[in-house]
Amino acid sequence: MDKNSVYSILREKIVLGDYKPGQVLKEKELMKEFNIGRTPLRELLVRLDAEDLVEIVPYSGVHVSSVE
């Protein structure tokens, strides 16, 4: 699956509430689910962070933001 497809799916799951606000997104699980490498996944997470859909917390992980 290409990066843009994975980005669209992740974004949709956040907006539709499949991933709940405050939920931690685990990189290893996402890598396995979408068959994507760590670097491309992190690039997507940074992109989602820039849109305030997730919050990247050092040493804690990636948390889903509340969507309003």
Side-chain angles (χ1 to χ4, degrees):
M1 191 176 296
D2 67 85
K3 270 189 350 181
N4 288 328
S5 297
V6 174
Y7 167 79
S8 296
I9 292 168
L10 286 173
R11 188 177 191 292
E12 185 175 303
K13 284 187 171 201
I14 293 168
V15 171
L16 293 177
D18 293 342
Y19 295 139
K20 304 294 181 206
Q23 180 178 343
V24 176
L25 300 180
K26 298 181 181 178
E27 285 186 5
K28 287 185 180 183
E29 291 177 7
L30 294 174
M31 288 168 50
K32 186 175 180 180
E33 180 180 348
F34 295 109
N35 193 29
I36 191 171
R38 176 168 280 162
T39 300
L41 177 62
R42 286 186 177 177
E43 290 171 359
L44 296 176
L45 294 174
V46 167
R47 193 169 156 193
L48 291 168
D49 183 46
E51 295 181 21
D52 294 324
L53 293 173
V54 299
E55 180 181 6
I56 299 173
V57 182
Y59 306 107
S60 179
V62 178
H63 301 264
V64 177
S65 300
S66 58
V67 179
E68 299 175 9

